[in-house]
Amino acid sequence: MATILQSIPKEASVTKIEYEGPRIALYTNAPRYLMENNETISNLVNIIKKRIVVRTDESIRKPEDEARRIIAECVPEEAKLQGTIFDTATGEVSVEAKRPWLLQRNAKEFNHAEVTEKMGWKLRIRKATTIPSRTIQTINATLKQSSAERSKQLKQVGDEIFRPRLSQRTEVSLYTLGGFGQVGRSSLLLSTPESKILIDCGINPGARSPMDAFPRLDSLDITLDDLDAIVIGHAHLDHTGFLPALCKYGYKGPIYCTEPTLPMMNLIQLDAIKVASAQGRTPIYSERDVKQIMRQTITLPYGTVTDISPDIKLVLANAGHILGSALCHFHIGNGDHNFVYSGDIKFGKSILFEAASWNFPRVETLLIESTYGLKEDIQPTRQEVESAFINAVNNTLADGGKVLIPIPAVGRAQEIMMVIDHYMKSGEMIEAPVFTEGMISEASAIHESYPEYLAKELKQKILETDDNPFDSEYFTNIEHGDAREEPMRENSPCIILATSGMLEGGPVLEYFKNIAPDKKNKVLFVSYQVNGTLGRRVLDGSKQATMLGKEGKVEVVTINCGVEKLDGFSGHSDYNQLMSFVQRLRPKLRRVLVNHGERKKSENLAMNIRRMYRVPAHYPQIQEAIKLF
Ligand SMILES: [Zn+2]
């Protein structure tokens, strides 16, 4: 505080300095001065080596109604203002516009410093989505309701992060809790004499017994209060499915993840409650626990160094796997040891995301996934799979048939939508209406809300032009079951994307009943079909499927339609990509650990890393302790 007060000019009119979680919040009566002299803050950050955020003092914030009116007056009409969201805990107002590029910092017609000075709230410009995301609306409402409680918590979190270290000695250990020698329930504990960080907290959706389904937290001799933080790499259930249960049983500390990971995991966690209830199982947590996650989460952008405990700094970096997915880089002690947890990574560019980042200043230990750890786990290139996809769709549409794509709502669906939009616009794919049903439109709305996290070209399209592929005229979302008439109408070729991806429940089944009997049509799989699912049986050539129809009667569906499967749209790196990722990091690596794969895949990847790159590599099992430093 003394350093800040000494180095900051009087004109900055600082009223208060406070911890705000891992950041230092500097409150000011003169936001305009700091905005116009932004080198003042960057100089300060260089001196104190902590993150600083500028906040406007409560006393200068105009009441929301008035501030809203001022914004509406200042925003030029062409920008198409859609709404404003006020966060009292941070004094930020999000301004949502259809054409946000007209409101950027350097925009002529909209001077940030001037508008901020007029209304006293800090501006954040956001792209208004085609359809608003209900999940993000719930998060905003929850944060608003809990802003007083949250401000208090953030101060407390800061107090704990910035307390003096108890010992100067650095020791680092890892405890494996789930997702080793298997896919599912990813979880591990990073431990030093100073701090305990839980990384990921998933479930194994296929397992029924708690000992197989949940991370083995029971094997640790700690309580939830001993955890300094939980870090979440990405939203999938096998990485986040047990997190609400920890909140239910009393975890009160911070949860760190990227901004889009929060709504994505909430969406998936809430859906898991519905699925469990539909299957007659008791969900392990309730909606209330998911809302609690919203209150405890501190989101971080990619690439920002953040203190999360007295001796650990965290950087999240793009993992290329799903929206917001992150590699987690932990800088421990005074740089004594650097540990990178890959989570699920795609080391290859897709339409949605850039390839995973690899450019870390230092990494001594890498923990890498091995979903495709066998040498024969080689995927076709994106170009190959995209042209196969175009052919598969064109053949059916040209014959006047319908293409049904059973699809997981999150990630894959958006990728396929972008591919369809791209090739229909370029003329390589026959133009036809595309219908989506299930959670797809909600997941798309979340993607569209965070263009900064998407691949460069896609981000540019959304943020800087009116040509937004998510708003494409090809797509129609089916909101209710009774609106299926159009996609099901006879002799009208179309593409249907519906959940679930393996024909296990969801609206896709209704379309399947309608489409399967006619040989003009096609079921096109673009994701993995697990043994024992209807999807797998159809893929293996079943000619009949028995399904539950209306009023619980058993219906027999004859399968005459074409069936095809395309590999290569995976969000995981194939074997070659995993190996080249390790090779990029090799110069500094001292050890590689392998997880997130069937045992033989993890074993093979570890063996080949040892052999080819001469780096010690092994594949721990669950409930092992590994000394890193
Ligand atoms: Zn994943």
Side-chain angles (χ1 to χ4, degrees):
M1 247 185 228
T3 315
I4 295 176
L5 288 174
Q6 261 166 29
S7 342
I8 205 152
K10 281 260 166 327
E11 298 90 314
S13 182
V14 170
T15 55
K16 188 166 67 169
I17 302 170
E18 245 173 29
Y19 290 135
E20 184 185 296
R23 302 172 279 252
I24 292 171
L26 210 144
Y27 288 78
T28 169
N29 269 334
R32 184 167 190 162
Y33 175 84
L34 285 174
M35 289 172 82
E36 283 170 351
N37 300 274
N38 44 21
E39 73 288 346
T40 317
I41 295 296
S42 41
N43 292 341
L44 259 183
V45 172
N46 281 332
I47 300 171
I48 63 168
K49 305 269 182 257
K50 307 248 178 294
R51 286 184 65 193
I52 295 180
V53 276
V54 175
R55 300 289 182 216
T56 57
D57 194 86
E58 283 95 336
S59 64
I60 65 162
R61 293 181 201 161
K62 294 271 168 17
E64 284 181 29
D65 281 348
E66 203 182 330
R68 193 170 285 127
R69 192 179 47 74
I70 295 171
I71 292 169
E73 274 167 13
C74 296
V75 170
E77 203 168 319
E78 314 88 87
K80 297 192 178 161
L81 176 68
Q82 301 292 302
T84 44
I85 301 151
F86 292 85
D87 182 352
T88 1
T90 58
E92 269 184 351
V93 54
S94 297
V95 174
E96 295 189 334
K98 281 261 178 228
R99 309 173 89 194
W101 59 94
L102 296 173
L103 302 178
Q104 285 321 318
R105 265 219 154 164
N106 44 9
K108 249 191 268 143
E109 315 289 323
F110 188 75
N111 184 313
H112 280 214
E114 209 176 286
V115 180
T116 307
E117 188 179 41
K118 270 190 195 159
M119 52 145 192
W121 292 76
K122 200 174 164 186
L123 277 171
R124 197 171 162 200
I125 306 301
R126 313 252 343 160
K127 159 88 188 173
T129 55
T130 316
I131 336 155
S133 152
R134 267 167 284 182
T135 319
I136 297 175
Q137 283 173 341
T138 310
I139 292 173
N140 288 336
T142 309
L143 293 186
K144 200 169 179 110
Q145 274 166 10
S146 60
S147 69
E149 171 202 344
R150 228 161 23 97
S151 304
K152 221 171 78 193
Q153 268 171 6
L154 285 170
K155 239 191 270 175
Q156 232 170 37
V157 169
D159 278 335
E160 278 168 36
I161 293 173
F162 297 112
R163 69 166 165 78
R165 283 175 66 171
L166 300 171
S167 106
Q168 286 313 310
R169 189 178 159 137
T170 303
E171 287 177 338
V172 188
S173 302
L174 269 188
Y175 296 90
T176 64
L177 304 170
F180 290 80
Q182 62 181 189
V183 175
R185 61 162 161 175
S186 277
S187 191
L188 56 143
L189 184 84
L190 180 66
S191 168
T192 73
E194 211 72 49
S195 18
K196 299 205 163 23
I197 312 287
L198 186 70
I199 307 171
D200 276 354
C201 193
I203 55 161
N204 189 347
R208 286 292 166 263
S209 123
M211 285 299 195
D212 297 325
F214 308 139
R216 293 301 305 272
L217 290 147
D218 61 302
S219 62
L220 293 174
D221 193 18
I222 61 168
T223 68
L224 290 173
D225 289 337
D226 295 327
L227 292 177
D228 292 82
I230 298 178
V231 176
I232 296 292
H234 74 280
H236 280 149
L237 217 50
D238 59 330
H239 296 256
T240 64
F242 201 64
L243 183 60
L246 293 193
C247 290
K248 172 177 171 178
Y249 290 112
Y251 176 67
K252 295 271 184 298
I255 299 161
Y256 295 98
C257 62
T258 63
E259 203 178 1
T261 295
L262 177 62
M264 290 282 274
M265 73 173 163
N266 292 158
L267 176 68
I268 295 172
Q269 288 157 343
L270 290 171
D271 185 60
I273 299 181
K274 275 192 224 146
V275 171
S277 310
Q279 294 175 345
R281 288 182 286 123
T282 313
I284 52 171
Y285 54 83
S286 69
E287 210 179 308
R288 221 180 60 193
D289 308 310
V290 176
K291 284 208 172 146
Q292 192 51 40
I293 292 180
M294 299 174 187
R295 296 191 189 102
Q296 286 171 232
T297 298
I298 298 175
T299 59
L300 306 176
Y302 287 144
T304 312
V305 184
T306 304
D307 292 273
I308 57 167
S309 80
D311 63 343
I312 298 181
K313 293 184 201 312
L314 168 69
V315 179
L316 301 177
N318 170 39
H321 170 64
I322 62 164
L323 182 68
S325 62
L327 289 133
C328 311
H329 178 282
F330 298 89
H331 168 106
I332 306 159
N334 300 317
D336 298 314
H337 195 79
N338 293 273
F339 166 59
V340 165
Y341 169 59
S342 80
D344 296 357
I345 50 165
K346 178 75 181 172
F347 196 44
K349 195 179 151 29
S350 60
I351 291 197
L352 281 184
F353 309 112
E354 296 295 326
S357 307
W358 56 273
N359 209 353
F360 301 101
R362 274 182 57 191
V363 191
E364 282 85 32
T365 300
L366 166 69
L367 172 57
I368 189 168
E369 64 131 320
S370 58
T371 313
Y372 293 117
L374 286 184
K375 270 204 175 141
E376 49 274 31
D377 290 339
I378 304 300
Q379 303 246 323
T381 65
R382 284 280 153 162
Q383 269 159 334
E384 286 164 349
V385 65
E386 280 171 20
S387 58
F389 180 77
I390 297 170
N391 283 337
V393 171
N394 279 352
N395 289 341
T396 305
L397 292 179
D399 282 352
K402 298 177 194 294
V403 182
L404 174 62
I405 308 179
I407 203 154
V410 170
R412 199 68 48 88
Q414 287 70 38
E415 176 95 36
I416 296 292
M417 287 167 75
M418 296 301 105
V419 170
I420 292 174
D421 179 69
H422 180 84
Y423 288 108
M424 280 190 183
K425 275 184 186 148
S426 77
E428 285 158 86
M429 190 179 277
I430 299 172
E431 287 186 312
V434 181
F435 299 96
T436 58
E437 190 174 341
M439 261 166 35
I440 296 171
S441 72
E442 175 58 20
S444 298
I446 300 176
H447 280 70
E448 205 189 333
S449 299
Y450 301 99
E452 320 84 61
Y453 286 81
L454 300 172
K456 227 182 268 157
E457 298 88 53
L458 187 54
K459 168 179 142 186
Q460 250 162 14
K461 265 191 192 166
I462 298 176
L463 277 183
E464 294 168 22
T465 73
D466 287 318
D467 174 26
N468 169 9
F470 284 103
D471 196 12
S472 164
E473 56 189 17
Y474 298 122
F475 305 131
T476 307
N477 185 51
I478 304 292
E479 294 272 358
H480 297 287
D482 26 340
R484 287 182 193 135
E485 213 170 288
E486 210 190 329
M488 295 215 196
R489 196 186 310 137
E490 257 183 83
N491 295 324
S492 56
C494 64
I495 303 175
I496 302 161
L497 279 75
T499 55
S500 65
M502 300 188 205
L503 295 178
E504 292 287 286
V508 74
L509 291 181
E510 292 309 312
Y511 292 105
F512 180 75
K513 286 180 200 167
N514 177 266
I515 271 165
D518 189 340
K519 68 175 193 311
K520 277 207 312 275
N521 299 332
K522 179 179 284 166
V523 176
L524 182 56
F525 292 103
V526 291
S527 58
Y528 187 71
Q529 302 300 308
V530 170
N531 261 331
T533 59
L534 177 58
R536 183 57 173 260
R537 289 197 294 281
V538 172
L539 189 60
D540 288 345
S542 246
K543 285 290 155 214
Q544 272 190 346
T546 34
M547 311 165 72
L548 277 190
K550 285 191 190 98
E551 290 131 29
K553 276 191 202 133
V554 175
E555 265 179 60
V556 178
V557 179
T558 317
I559 307 167
N560 292 324
C561 67
V563 175
E564 226 179 300
K565 170 160 194 282
L566 293 175
D567 290 314
F569 281 118
S570 172
H572 290 274
S573 302
D574 71 2
Y575 173 79
N576 287 338
Q577 291 171 330
L578 290 172
M579 288 299 280
S580 47
F581 182 76
V582 176
Q583 190 180 21
R584 284 287 171 93
L585 297 182
R586 183 178 56 157
K588 304 145 204 162
L589 281 179
R590 284 204 216 125
R591 175 195 352 238
V592 177
L593 302 171
V594 180
N595 76 340
H596 199 285
E598 290 161 27
R599 199 177 166 137
K600 59 172 198 258
K601 304 209 177 198
S602 302
E603 182 182 1
N604 181 67
L605 187 66
M607 188 185 77
N608 283 301
I609 291 169
R610 274 197 306 269
R611 221 176 35 125
M612 309 257 304
Y613 303 141
R614 308 261 161 237
V615 180
H618 62 284
Y619 57 106
Q621 300 304 299
I622 287 173
Q623 290 176 293
E624 280 190 30
I626 302 147
K627 183 98 188 235
L628 298 187
F629 187 85

